[in-house]
Amino acid sequence: NAGVMQNPRHLVRRRGQEARLRCSPMKGHSHVYWYRQLPEEGLKFMVYLQKENIIDESGMPKERFSAEFPKEGPSILRIQQVVRGDSAAYFCASSHSSGSTDTQYFGPGTRLTVL
Amino acid sequence: GENVEQHPSTLSVQEGDSAVIKCTYSDSASNYFPWYKQELGKRPQLIIDIRSNVGEKKDQRIAVTLNKTAKHFSLHITETQPEDSAVYFCAASSNNAGNMLTFGGGTRLMVKP
């Protein structure tokens, strides 16, 4: 039973480039969440998606950041024109249903470094 | 929105002692409170969770208590072992705030052998 998968595990980009982070939820899960973790800090919610729908993007910066979860394939978090402040670990989590009490399981994260 | 405060930020205990980490939350509608353990460079792993219809839950050496009136919940680890050393995060979520988890700032637990 494969857990939440994320790739790449490490990503290095120069300022101004684009970063694409992928997340495949656990088998049977159709709800995906993206969180950002800055060094020595807690996780901060960014966006919540279901298949083909963005449910809540209240934690995602309005500019340069976008997310999708297509009918087929992984969820993608896209950061355009990266800046040094985007350097962080980006974790996705998945859950089976939409209830607020449903357990979220985390992937291994993508560590983005912006040079 | 929800705000979760976690204390202490660092905790050092001797192997075999107990460790207690406390969290408070602001949204009275919050009804789910998970605890995650994160080792250096690894993913957050769920270790225990509690829902608002119970006041206490125990799993071997780990227990969580919830006081909805006071809006706080705590993690208790008994008979600590060196492998318990990690950063622990509490979180809260509610139907009113969608399904997002709001995390505390984390507690770095160090268990000295």
Side-chain angles (χ1 to χ4, degrees):
Chain A
N1 182 18
V4 180
M5 309 286 283
Q6 286 187 252
N7 69 80
R9 296 291 306 277
H10 300 273
L11 183 60
V12 179
R13 285 287 178 266
R14 297 192 181 279
R15 281 178 295 169
Q17 291 184 320
E18 178 180 288
R20 281 191 180 226
L21 289 62
R22 296 174 198 80
C23 169
S24 297
M26 283 179 71
K27 188 176 181 181
H29 287 190
S30 58
H31 302 260
V32 167
Y33 315 81
W34 286 92
Y35 294 85
R36 177 164 64 178
Q37 185 175 36
L38 295 171
E40 304 296 320
E41 292 190 14
L43 294 95
K44 297 286 193 288
F45 168 78
M46 298 181 73
V47 61
Y48 163 39
L49 310 103
Q50 295 177 23
K51 286 281 187 183
E52 299 184 279
N53 282 306
I54 297 175
I55 306 302
D56 183 350
E57 55 183 350
S58 59
M60 199 156 67
K62 295 286 186 286
E63 297 180 355
R64 303 189 298 108
F65 286 73
S66 62
E68 62 176 8
F69 189 14
K71 187 177 180 181
E72 301 291 336
S75 174
I76 295 176
L77 179 68
R78 183 182 176 205
I79 311 173
Q80 295 178 291
Q81 300 172 353
V82 296
V83 300
R84 289 217 173 111
D86 296 333
S87 295
Y90 292 83
F91 290 94
C92 82
S94 72
S95 68
H96 179 262
S97 70
S98 60
S100 66
T101 62
D102 206 34
T103 301
Q104 294 184 24
Y105 297 93
F106 282 81
T110 294
R111 279 149 187 84
L112 172 65
T113 302
V114 180
L115 302 177
Chain B
E2 175 68 275
N3 182 47
V4 177
E5 299 281 343
Q6 184 171 347
H7 300 280
S9 56
T10 60
L11 179 60
S12 182
V13 300
Q14 208 65 40
E15 182 177 0
D17 287 349
S18 294
V20 180
I21 303 170
K22 299 182 179 181
C23 289
T24 60
Y25 61 98
S26 60
D27 186 354
S28 57
S30 287
N31 57 357
Y32 176 60
F33 308 91
W35 286 88
Y36 288 86
K37 175 184 180 183
Q38 187 178 31
E39 296 176 1
L40 188 62
K42 300 285 182 65
R43 76 183 75 194
Q45 287 196 301
L46 180 75
I47 56 171
I48 195 166
D49 57 13
I50 191 166
R51 292 166 175 83
S52 61
N53 56 339
V54 296
E56 186 174 352
K57 183 177 178 181
K58 190 173 181 180
D59 182 4
Q60 299 182 352
R61 297 187 296 110
I62 295 172
V64 57
T65 59
L66 171 64
N67 183 329
K68 288 219 75 181
T69 303
K71 289 190 279 188
H72 67 69
F73 56 113
S74 301
L75 177 72
H76 304 252
I77 306 174
T78 58
E79 300 172 27
T80 54
Q81 301 166 4
E83 51 264 40
D84 293 331
S85 296
V87 180
Y88 291 80
F89 292 98
C90 63
S93 72
S94 77
N95 288 320
N96 290 350
N99 297 346
M100 71 173 81
L101 290 173
T102 301
F103 284 85
T107 296
R108 183 175 299 280
L109 174 65
M110 293 168 284
V111 180
K112 294 179 286 187

